[in-house]
């Protein structure tokens, strides 16, 4: 008999945090009481700008003082949904020298703590978990894929609603995609007084970006086979 395994349908906090860092184009650096807005436009992302390492005695031997630093990231939905803030990430640690946004080389930061705050709550991620987690192959193209879906194929969103269980409430006024990851797509169902997010998992997780199209087509095919009357369907 095969051992029972639970199907994974959503990213872990470590995967979520790692992907936010990979897709980030800017961050706020707080050090010595000064807030600096750093815009990373060279395509390297924050982890190409900051090198995280384990705390160790050797890392600061002979140094009289180290400088506390906090890196703040926000994850904003690329589609025009209500409450577009999806998550906040905070990394704290220590620097051997004052932070310089224009530094030519990667800045070494002794890791202190990594915190993810989203709709699920607060999750702390260790450096080992962060280093041991692969970047979601969808992270770098999520925004363009979701905006393309909304702007170029909006008729497919009501079709996907056929897969939502239980059925959306009759007072739903709008549905938009709010997130896309290797495990599936998340729709935000907006009501007059609030909203709810529903996940539609892919049959199997995406391991390469070339698989994204076939996975979405599989969801759409399942939706077409499904009988699910809805006021937004045409």
């Amino acid at each position: 008999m095969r051992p029972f395994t639970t199907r994974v349908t959503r990213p872990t906090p470590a995967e979520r945090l790692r992907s936010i860092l990979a897709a980030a184009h800017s961050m706020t650096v707080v050090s010595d009481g000064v807030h600096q807005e750093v815009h990373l436009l060279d395509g390297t992302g924050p982890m190409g700008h900051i090198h995280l390492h384990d705390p160790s005695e050797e890392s600061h031997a002979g140094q009289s003082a180290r400088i506390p630093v906090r890196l703040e990231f926000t994850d904003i939905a690329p589609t025009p949904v209500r409450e577009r803030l999806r998550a906040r990430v905070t990394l704290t640690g220590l620097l051997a020298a004052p932070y310089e946004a224009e530094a030519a080389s990667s800045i070494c930061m002794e890791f202190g703590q990594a915190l993810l705050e989203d709709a699920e709550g607060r999750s702390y991620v260790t450096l080992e978990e962060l280093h041991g987690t692969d970047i979601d192959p969808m992270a770098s193209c999520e925004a363009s894929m979701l905006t393309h879906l909304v702007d170029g194929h909006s008729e497919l969103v009501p079709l996907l609603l056929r897969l939502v269980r239980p059925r959306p409430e009759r007072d739903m006024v709008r549905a938009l995609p709010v997130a896309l990851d290797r495990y599936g797509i998340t729709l935000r169902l907006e009501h007059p007084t609030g909203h709810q997010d529903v996940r539609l998992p892919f049959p199997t997780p995406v391991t390469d970006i070339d698989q994204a199209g076939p996975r979405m087509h599989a969801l759409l095919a399942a939706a077409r086979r499904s009988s699910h009357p809805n006021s937004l369907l045409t």
Side-chain angles (χ1 to χ4, degrees):
M1 181 181 295
R2 293 182 180 179
F4 175 79
T5 57
T6 302
R7 180 186 176 193
V8 179
T9 60
R10 64 180 62 242
T12 65
E15 288 177 308
R16 184 90 173 84
L17 193 150
R18 186 73 180 86
S19 295
I20 289 173
L21 295 181
H25 294 289
S26 65
M27 64 181 174
T28 301
V29 179
V30 184
S31 184
D32 281 339
V34 177
H35 288 65
Q36 297 185 60
E37 297 297 328
V38 181
H39 297 277
L40 308 168
L41 304 178
D42 57 1
T44 62
M47 293 301 96
H49 188 68
I50 300 289
H51 169 67
L52 301 176
H53 66 83
D54 288 302
S56 65
E57 292 298 326
E58 291 79 7
S59 65
H60 56 86
Q63 297 177 5
S64 57
R66 292 173 296 161
I67 303 170
V69 63
R70 183 171 77 249
L71 311 180
E72 300 174 345
F73 303 85
T74 55
D75 177 39
I76 306 296
T79 50
V81 295
R82 295 176 184 168
E83 299 184 22
R84 293 182 64 190
L85 178 63
R86 300 189 299 191
R88 296 183 188 275
V89 167
T90 305
L91 299 179
T92 59
L94 297 169
L95 299 178
Y99 176 78
E100 296 181 9
E102 304 302 324
S105 59
S106 177
I107 297 171
C108 191
M109 172 179 163
E110 181 178 306
F111 180 84
Q113 180 174 275
L115 171 65
L116 170 70
E117 298 175 277
D118 60 13
E120 303 298 318
R122 295 161 59 95
S123 301
Y124 292 93
V125 177
T126 68
L127 185 58
E128 181 180 10
E129 290 173 326
L130 196 57
H131 282 164
T133 299
D134 293 331
I135 297 174
D136 190 319
M138 310 285 275
S140 62
C141 59
E142 179 202 17
S144 61
M145 292 183 71
L146 288 182
T147 53
H148 178 70
L149 175 60
V150 171
D151 296 338
H153 301 281
S154 59
E155 75 282 359
L156 297 180
V157 178
L159 180 60
L160 289 172
L161 288 176
R162 294 184 180 184
L163 298 176
V164 174
R165 296 292 188 272
R167 294 181 181 181
E169 297 294 330
R170 291 184 177 274
D171 68 346
M172 184 182 68
V173 295
R174 187 172 69 160
L176 287 172
V178 68
L180 179 68
D181 55 60
R182 65 190 299 258
Y183 297 103
I185 188 169
T186 300
L187 303 180
R188 176 156 294 175
L189 313 185
E190 298 181 353
H191 305 276
T193 59
H195 67 265
Q196 68 175 123
D197 291 346
V198 294
R199 284 188 64 82
L200 302 179
F202 293 140
T204 56
V206 170
T207 57
D208 184 271
I209 189 58
D210 291 338
Q211 300 170 353
R215 295 294 192 279
M216 282 298 301
H217 287 306
L219 279 184
L220 292 168
R224 291 186 177 97
R225 294 192 300 268
S226 176
S227 174
H228 188 168
N230 186 279
S231 61
L232 291 187
L233 296 177
T234 57

